[in-house]
Amino acid sequence: MFKQTCTNLTTLSIQRVRQWLNGFETIICDADGVLWHFDKAIDGSVEAFNAIQDTGRNTFIVTNNSCLCSENIRLKARDFGFNVHKDHVLNSGKSVASFLSSKNFQQKVFVVGGVGIIEELSDVNICAFQFRNEKIEKSMRDFALEMEVDEDVGAVVVGRDDSFNMCSVIRACHYLRNPQILFLGCCLDAAYPIGNNRVLAGAAAMIALVKTITSRKPLILGKPNPWIVREPIESGAINPATTLMIGDTLETDIKFANYNGFQSILVGSGVTELEKVERIRDRGQKKQMRLVPDGYLPRLCDILEYL
């Protein structure tokens, strides 16, 4: 009905929006920017998410956050008050683990990123390790020459790492000099605004450094890669034709929706301003239109009057 028009749903009649929403059996929400900001739920998001679930629709949280494992993200959501089922939280770390498991991967994984990645890999019986807070106490050259390496490493995974340092980079780049070792990334989220003109570096910055040094291109397994929802789609838990994605970023959430054949709503509570999307839409460039959502709402809670 609204395909790639970024229609502001608040300007339409309740009946028309409700008719559109009635066609969806599954609603997927991003986490940060849609449901919460770091450690605070966005006003009205708990009530809206739970109300969607109360209508009998399947509800999923699909996030690129790999600092926590999917189960700990579910527990975080539960503590905020979101009623989300155990297997209905998917994140990029879980997507990496699923990918390697599907390849019957038997080697070790060196991780530059959050402990959530290691926990997801452990859940599928893959041995992963990292060196957190390691410091170079000599020259970088001496560190690189003298560091011990594990010959059984078969993959390097890079995600957002709050303790990112050159030691991890040197180790990752050593392993990736071997073209047989897989280079996997959790996502390409560049930055996370935290207010007062301050930002946190995202996984894209860390991946870019390793990519530049090694001249290797990683396989990104978080959104917008459809792999993150492969299992529920194959099991029939998600039917793309009747699925709505609600997100706050164009390059991850909205592109992800278009890659999967979902319809989409952009909410204005995250990192993307409506005016930016309208400019992309009005230019009408074919390649850029995959970034344009079907609908727009200022916040998730605005969906309540249409349920």
Side-chain angles (χ1 to χ4, degrees):
M1 184 183 292
F2 306 119
K3 190 63 176 175
Q4 293 180 327
T5 59
C6 193
T7 298
N8 189 336
L9 302 180
T10 65
T11 66
L12 305 179
S13 69
I14 292 176
Q15 181 180 1
R16 188 178 181 194
V17 178
R18 186 174 290 159
Q19 179 184 6
W20 181 59
L21 291 176
N22 283 344
F24 299 115
E25 299 173 350
T26 299
I27 295 185
I28 299 173
C29 291
D30 179 37
D32 286 289
V34 177
L35 302 178
W36 57 71
H37 286 303
F38 295 100
D39 294 321
K40 185 178 185 299
I42 295 172
D43 289 345
S45 62
V46 173
E47 294 80 5
F49 185 90
N50 292 344
I52 292 169
Q53 186 161 260
D54 289 344
T55 65
R57 293 179 173 92
N58 286 322
T59 52
F60 286 82
I61 297 175
V62 179
T63 172
N64 276 343
N65 184 345
S66 61
C67 293
L68 299 175
C69 68
S70 55
E71 174 59 11
N72 283 341
I73 293 172
R74 186 188 73 84
L75 294 176
K76 176 179 179 176
R78 185 197 65 183
D79 290 344
F80 283 138
F82 295 99
N83 297 326
V84 58
H85 298 305
K86 182 175 177 61
D87 296 325
H88 284 210
V89 177
L90 306 172
N91 74 336
S92 57
K94 191 177 187 70
S95 185
V96 167
S98 169
F99 174 79
L100 289 175
S101 180
S102 75
K103 303 296 183 184
N104 195 29
F105 185 83
Q106 300 293 324
Q107 295 173 275
K108 294 180 182 178
V109 178
F110 178 65
V111 173
V112 181
V115 68
I117 302 169
I118 292 178
E119 291 171 345
E120 294 289 359
L121 290 167
S122 177
D123 284 346
V124 294
N125 298 314
I126 293 175
C127 178
F129 69 99
Q130 61 186 170
F131 291 88
R132 298 190 68 81
N133 303 315
E134 189 176 21
K135 296 180 180 179
I136 296 180
E137 296 179 347
K138 54 188 73 177
S139 72
M140 194 180 301
R141 178 179 180 276
D142 287 344
F143 175 84
L145 288 171
E146 297 173 12
M147 68 180 180
E148 295 183 6
V149 297
D150 192 324
E151 300 299 332
D152 197 31
V153 168
V156 171
V157 177
V158 182
R160 178 185 156 200
D161 188 350
D162 289 340
S163 60
F164 187 73
N165 59 62
M166 286 306 300
C167 297
S168 294
V169 173
I170 291 169
R171 290 184 183 279
C173 293
H174 162 77
Y175 291 123
L176 291 171
R177 296 280 292 177
N178 180 349
Q180 300 303 312
I181 291 181
L182 300 173
F183 182 15
L184 307 177
C186 287
C187 69
L188 289 178
D189 294 358
Y192 304 95
I194 58 174
N196 197 26
N197 273 341
R198 304 183 187 204
V199 298
L200 299 179
M206 295 144 199
I207 290 171
L209 180 55
V210 177
K211 179 181 175 182
T212 299
I213 295 171
T214 62
S215 298
R216 289 190 56 180
K217 184 177 180 179
L219 172 62
I220 305 299
L221 286 160
K223 295 177 295 182
N225 192 331
W227 187 274
I228 198 171
V229 289
R230 178 187 68 94
E231 292 181 6
I233 287 178
E234 288 185 354
S235 71
I238 292 177
N239 175 3
T242 57
T243 296
L244 175 68
M245 174 73 204
I246 302 177
D248 72 309
T249 61
L250 304 184
E251 289 287 348
T252 53
D253 298 321
I254 305 308
K255 187 185 287 187
F256 170 71
N258 283 319
Y259 282 173
N260 282 286
F262 305 155
Q263 295 187 60
S264 60
I265 290 176
L266 178 77
V267 292
S269 53
V271 298
T272 305
E273 296 180 352
L274 177 60
E275 292 75 14
K276 175 183 177 180
V277 192
E278 290 174 334
R279 288 195 298 270
I280 295 173
R281 178 197 63 193
D282 294 344
R283 284 196 294 267
Q285 296 177 2
K286 187 174 181 180
K287 288 185 177 180
Q288 291 293 303
M289 288 302 291
R290 63 187 178 185
L291 301 176
V292 178
D294 304 315
Y296 171 83
L297 287 173
R299 296 178 300 173
L300 181 64
C301 64
D302 294 309
I303 206 171
L304 282 167
E305 67 176 314
Y306 307 115
L307 298 177

